[in-house]
Amino acid sequence: MITTQNLTKKYGDHLALNKLNLTVAEGNIYCLLGANGAGKTTTINLLLGFVQPTSGSASINGIDVTTNSREAKKYLAYIPENLMLYPNLSAMENLDYFSGIAGKSLSKTQLKAFLAEAGLQNNAFEKRIATFSKGMRQKVGISIALAKDAKVLLLDEPTPGLDPSASNEFGLLLQRLKEKGVATLMATHDIFRAREVATHIGIMKDGQLKQQFVASEISLGDLENAYLKTMDYKNALP
Amino acid sequence: MILKTFIKEIKELSRESRVRLSLLIVLLLLGVAVFISSRQYQQVNTQYETATQSERANWDNQGEKNPHSAAHYGTYAFKPKYPLSLLDQGVDKYTGTSVFLEAHARNEARFSAAADQTGLARFGDLTPDFILLFLIPLLIILLGYNSFTKEREMGTLTLLKSQGISGWRWMLGKWMALFVPIFLIAFLLFLIAGFVLSGLQDFGAFSWKALFAMFAVYIVFYAVFINIVLIISASVKKSGISLVSALGIWILACLVVPKMATNIAQAKYPYPTAQEFAANILADKEKGLDGHNPWSEESKKLEKEMLEKYEVDSISQLPFNFDGYRMQKGEEHEAMVYFKHYNYLKEQYAKQTEVYQSMAAISPFLPARFLSMSIAHTDYETHWNFNDAAEQYRINTQKFLNDHFAENSKFGDWSWQADADFWKKLPAFKYEPSNLKQTLSQNNGNIVLLGGWLVLSFGILLFVVKIK
């Protein structure tokens, strides 16, 4: 479960995040929509403990990330927009290492199973990451998240650069994690993908959460209009 | 996590062609250097053995001769090449290898290897100590300069931090990945050197314990260098800056500070020039008894003392040959003069060593270098001790000859000759360098400095890699 209370982050005079109150319950997928600079990535970085909030609090599974970041990280997995892995190591070796860092010791069979679950082709398991496309790297990243067996998944723009089938596979995977009770927070620009996979959607602007929706209660068209209006876009389609 | 990071780093390093090539070059150079050094070691020691035997044969077979003529004929003390000089040649190349031992004069060791070489020798030799002290630290830089910066540059640091990485465990894994290959290279070199040396004629001087002590010195030196390289890599953001900074530290620690220390030491505590040194000795010699001058004031004073002591009227009535006695007293005066002036040189050397040790606070190279040379018996300390032993042997030899002359001949009988067998009674020159325990206790300061570098650098490394 993810909770933030009046979470605020200032960089000098710039207010990057303004009193964010957010809850993502177990088995929910919360998509944060917003233009660049809206505060989506700042929210994720605060939850990861990479930056300290100016005020307010945030917790992962009830653990305060500002005071006990390392403990909170045991319960979360993170996939950034540009997932970077070790180019001279194979997919198996990367998965083995990153899982090892999280304290997991996996057998070869388990490593292969996680890579397969993430949708990576069998013949790519032993290949070096240097030869992988962005989509293949994302799949290895997903396998790292799966292997961690995290209760919380943080995704920062995970789908740009993926081909439609990889993007669809990614959506299906999120659904499977949702069924396992994983709480997912995904920052994205992709309204269509958000409407497809999310249980809840929030629209951010200027560091504030402007609107929230239950995904099943809003159509794609209404969501798009709501987004454009929030962004003060004048040429929205009727 | 430590083991996982270690394995990951080793895999990454082993898959980089620059690393494979560098390791290959260093191993090849080491092989060539050990081969050349062992050949040189064998050649020098064969020459030493031949020269020692030949010189002793010359001495023993002088035939019937006046002892003082034999004293002027003289003999040589030869310095052997010690086994661990195969790994660290130290200052051996610049110090003489043989001392001419004669009456009335203390001579400097002569015939250094450097004197036999051409100007091209200024470019330096490919020796194991050059590789151990200069190239392996460079290899450490090459392997480790981007150890932490690459994580930032590749973007893997973000994922690592999200996985809840522990800073010190991560650092230890990376540290081990640098240390283990370097340890193995050094271990291989020392092991080969040990087997080569134990198979060569070494006059019983080779000791595995000393070899191990030298190995330990280099391992600590490399651990310090690894710490420094990792501190830089963890502190800066770009690999390029890390590389340049580490190379800058290498230049400073291994090249600039040692040369700076030499200049400061020489400027602060200068040695007299050879001309001044000789003039000072001559002036002091002239103030005392000259064994060859029976008319000098000192000689007359000695004569008077002896006549009074033995209650006789003339020196021909003395129970010994006064010529031989005066000759010995002259030697004793000259030996004291030499002792005084060489002691001054040693005092200056001791003060210069203090300057070097104070500079070791800014370069781990200096304590490592001094310890290595000391264990190898290729340092100035060993050279001084050899010269002192040769001088003591010269003094004893002169006494042996003068006493024989005084006790067995009559005053004024310069034509008296000792038997042909007499020369064999002179004991052979033997010099034993300090044993390992003595060497280490003489180097307490360097051991503390190197240990201090290790602890301090490791502490700083732990501090800089601490990740929230």
Side-chain angles (χ1 to χ4, degrees):
Chain A
M1 187 176 184
I2 305 166
T3 313
T4 69
Q5 283 186 325
N6 293 322
L7 191 62
T8 303
K9 180 66 187 176
K10 268 185 168 181
Y11 291 106
D13 292 336
H14 174 65
L15 193 59
L17 195 64
N18 188 6
K19 294 180 180 172
L20 178 71
N21 290 300
L22 187 74
T23 300
V24 185
E26 286 176 18
N28 280 351
I29 300 173
Y30 196 112
C31 281
L32 277 178
L33 293 172
N36 290 335
K40 305 185 299 293
T41 299
T42 302
T43 305
I44 286 178
N45 283 342
L46 284 161
L47 288 167
L48 283 163
F50 288 175
V51 287
Q52 288 292 301
T54 309
S55 62
S57 66
S59 67
I60 300 286
N61 256 24
I63 300 161
D64 191 334
V65 297
T66 57
T67 56
N68 204 352
S69 168
R70 187 169 293 158
E71 185 63 21
K73 279 173 188 163
K74 286 182 185 170
Y75 300 98
L76 68 82
Y78 166 62
I79 301 174
E81 181 182 1
N82 283 310
L83 180 78
M84 299 313 291
L85 300 163
Y86 297 106
N88 283 336
L89 300 187
S90 69
M92 291 271 282
E93 288 166 339
N94 267 286
L95 174 57
D96 184 39
Y97 179 58
F98 282 105
S99 305
I101 292 293
K104 303 272 179 189
S105 188
L106 304 173
S107 67
K108 277 198 167 182
T109 314
Q110 287 173 306
L111 292 172
K112 284 177 181 172
F114 283 120
L115 287 170
E117 192 181 346
L120 194 71
Q121 301 250 325
N122 285 6
N123 61 5
F125 290 0
E126 304 286 354
K127 284 186 181 164
R128 289 191 194 179
I129 294 292
T131 63
F132 279 24
S133 65
K134 183 183 176 185
M136 290 166 84
R137 283 206 314 270
Q138 290 296 88
K139 285 174 183 175
V140 178
I142 293 164
S143 72
I144 293 168
L146 290 171
K148 199 173 178 185
D149 196 21
K151 303 288 177 206
V152 168
L153 182 59
L154 301 176
L155 305 168
D156 192 3
E157 310 276 6
T159 50
L162 297 188
D163 61 53
S165 64
S167 192
N168 187 51
E169 272 179 46
F170 186 70
L172 292 172
L173 184 83
L174 289 186
Q175 292 299 329
R176 288 205 297 278
L177 292 173
K178 177 189 153 193
E179 284 157 20
K180 284 185 182 174
V182 174
T184 302
L185 178 66
M186 179 164 88
T188 182
H189 293 290
D190 188 344
I191 295 174
F192 172 76
R193 187 60 54 197
R195 173 65 187 77
E196 282 285 304
V197 301
T199 56
H200 297 79
I201 298 167
I203 301 174
M204 292 187 80
K205 189 188 175 193
D206 298 333
Q208 282 186 306
L209 187 61
K210 295 286 188 185
Q211 290 193 72
Q212 291 191 81
F213 306 97
V214 174
S216 59
E217 293 173 359
I218 187 166
S219 68
L220 180 64
D222 288 345
L223 178 63
E224 193 174 14
N225 277 332
Y227 179 82
L228 293 170
K229 275 181 187 170
T230 308
M231 300 297 127
D232 294 330
Y233 189 69
K234 306 294 183 196
N235 299 323
L237 291 169
Chain B
M1 189 188 291
I2 297 170
L3 189 65
K4 289 266 183 196
T5 304
F6 166 71
I7 294 168
K8 186 274 284 183
E9 290 286 326
I10 290 290
K11 277 181 183 170
E12 279 193 295
L13 286 173
S14 65
R15 288 171 191 177
E16 282 189 45
S17 50
R18 72 177 164 99
V19 172
R20 288 200 301 264
L21 190 66
S22 317
L23 284 172
L24 187 72
I25 289 171
V26 168
L27 285 171
L28 269 174
L29 288 176
L30 272 173
V32 171
V34 169
F35 177 74
I36 293 171
S37 291
S38 63
R39 286 288 300 272
Q40 198 185 7
Y41 171 78
Q42 280 174 287
Q43 279 171 2
V44 171
N45 269 349
T46 306
Q47 286 169 5
Y48 165 82
E49 188 74 353
T50 309
T52 304
Q53 283 174 7
S54 142
E55 194 55 35
R56 183 69 207 194
N58 286 344
W59 176 263
D60 287 348
N61 298 308
Q62 291 180 84
E64 292 180 354
K65 190 188 262 184
N66 181 281
H68 197 66
S69 298
H72 278 286
Y73 174 71
T75 185
Y76 280 90
F78 296 102
K79 188 166 78 169
K81 213 163 169 60
Y82 294 104
L84 292 184
S85 65
L86 185 140
L87 289 167
D88 189 347
Q89 301 204 356
V91 296
D92 258 8
K93 188 177 163 183
Y94 304 99
T95 57
T97 51
S98 54
V99 183
F100 179 52
L101 310 172
E102 61 174 332
H104 314 303
R106 176 174 179 168
N107 294 306
E108 286 290 316
R110 294 166 66 200
F111 308 116
S112 66
D116 290 341
Q117 292 179 319
T118 64
L120 287 172
R122 290 293 301 154
F123 291 113
D125 296 327
L126 180 64
T127 54
D129 56 292
F130 169 71
I131 295 166
L132 286 166
L133 283 159
F134 294 93
L135 291 192
I136 291 188
L138 268 183
L139 183 67
I140 291 171
I141 292 172
L142 193 74
L143 297 182
Y145 76 95
N146 65 349
S147 195
F148 288 105
T149 49
K150 72 180 175 192
E151 304 281 3
R152 271 194 210 98
E153 287 169 341
M154 288 195 299
T156 44
L157 184 61
T158 312
L159 194 56
L160 285 170
K161 284 165 85 174
S162 76
Q163 291 290 91
I165 197 160
S166 149
W168 72 268
R169 287 195 181 96
W170 186 44
M171 180 277 285
L172 267 185
K174 284 181 177 287
W175 191 90
M176 278 171 58
L178 284 183
F179 181 75
V180 170
I182 297 297
F183 179 90
L184 289 176
I185 291 171
F187 181 75
L188 191 71
L189 169 71
F190 278 80
L191 194 69
I192 291 170
F195 282 118
V196 168
L197 287 169
S198 56
L200 293 178
Q201 189 185 7
D202 63 0
F203 318 107
F206 173 64
S207 138
W208 280 97
K209 271 186 195 171
L211 185 77
F212 178 77
M214 196 191 232
F215 173 68
V217 167
Y218 281 102
I219 289 303
V220 173
F221 176 56
Y222 298 148
V224 171
F225 231 90
I226 288 170
N227 291 346
I228 292 170
V229 169
L230 288 183
I231 287 168
I232 295 168
S233 185
S235 307
V236 302
K237 288 182 178 169
K238 302 271 184 192
S239 293
I241 295 171
S242 176
L243 179 62
V244 170
S245 306
L247 285 174
I249 297 274
W250 176 83
I251 291 169
L252 197 72
C254 299
L255 301 177
V256 177
V257 173
K259 288 184 192 302
M260 210 163 73
T262 307
N263 289 351
I264 293 172
Q266 280 177 355
K268 216 171 167 188
Y269 303 108
Y271 284 136
T273 62
Q275 209 172 8
E276 281 170 356
F277 187 65
N280 291 342
I281 288 173
L282 187 64
D284 275 356
K285 267 184 172 183
E286 285 172 351
K287 287 177 192 163
L289 179 67
D290 175 0
H292 276 299
N293 184 359
W295 299 282
S296 70
E297 198 180 315
E298 288 75 19
S299 185
K300 290 291 173 196
K301 196 176 156 192
L302 183 71
E303 189 180 315
K304 195 180 166 200
E305 276 172 22
M306 289 300 104
L307 293 176
E308 281 173 7
K309 187 179 174 187
Y310 286 91
E311 296 174 346
V312 290
D313 300 326
S314 77
I315 45 179
S316 57
Q317 292 172 331
L318 287 168
F320 51 83
N321 182 347
F322 184 72
D323 282 334
Y325 182 76
R326 190 183 57 241
M327 213 57 78
Q328 176 55 26
K329 287 293 163 190
E331 280 294 342
E332 285 170 17
H333 162 66
E334 284 157 350
M336 273 176 61
V337 169
Y338 282 115
F339 178 79
K340 176 188 156 191
H341 287 275
Y342 275 88
N343 222 30
Y344 173 72
L345 289 187
K346 278 201 268 185
E347 279 168 15
Q348 291 297 92
Y349 169 73
K351 285 174 186 166
Q352 289 191 354
T353 305
E354 281 171 21
V355 172
Y356 274 103
Q357 286 196 338
S358 65
M359 297 294 275
I362 52 170
S363 168
F365 175 90
L366 286 173
R369 169 99 250 198
F370 282 120
L371 272 166
S372 172
M373 287 197 303
S374 199
I375 295 169
H377 295 309
T378 55
D379 58 343
Y380 270 116
E381 196 72 35
T382 305
H383 185 64
W384 280 118
N385 292 341
F386 166 76
N387 275 335
D388 285 351
E391 172 63 2
Q392 190 56 52
Y393 182 73
R394 186 187 75 83
I395 292 167
N396 294 344
T397 303
Q398 298 312 310
K399 185 167 170 46
F400 173 80
L401 297 171
N402 287 328
D403 286 356
H404 189 68
F405 181 43
E407 287 161 14
N408 295 287
S409 63
K410 287 179 182 169
F411 175 67
D413 186 7
W414 283 98
S415 60
W416 184 84
Q417 291 183 329
D419 291 343
D421 289 343
F422 168 66
W423 319 112
K424 289 176 184 161
K425 291 176 188 166
L426 178 72
F429 171 68
K430 271 185 188 167
Y431 169 64
E432 289 287 331
S434 58
N435 61 34
L436 180 63
K437 201 175 168 186
Q438 291 165 332
T439 303
L440 294 179
S441 70
Q442 284 159 5
N443 279 280
N444 274 341
N446 287 321
I447 294 170
V448 168
L449 278 166
L450 198 59
W453 264 102
L454 182 68
V455 173
L456 185 73
S457 60
F458 207 78
I460 296 172
L461 180 59
L462 273 174
F463 178 75
V464 297
V465 295
K466 202 177 167 195
I467 292 176
K468 280 188 180 178

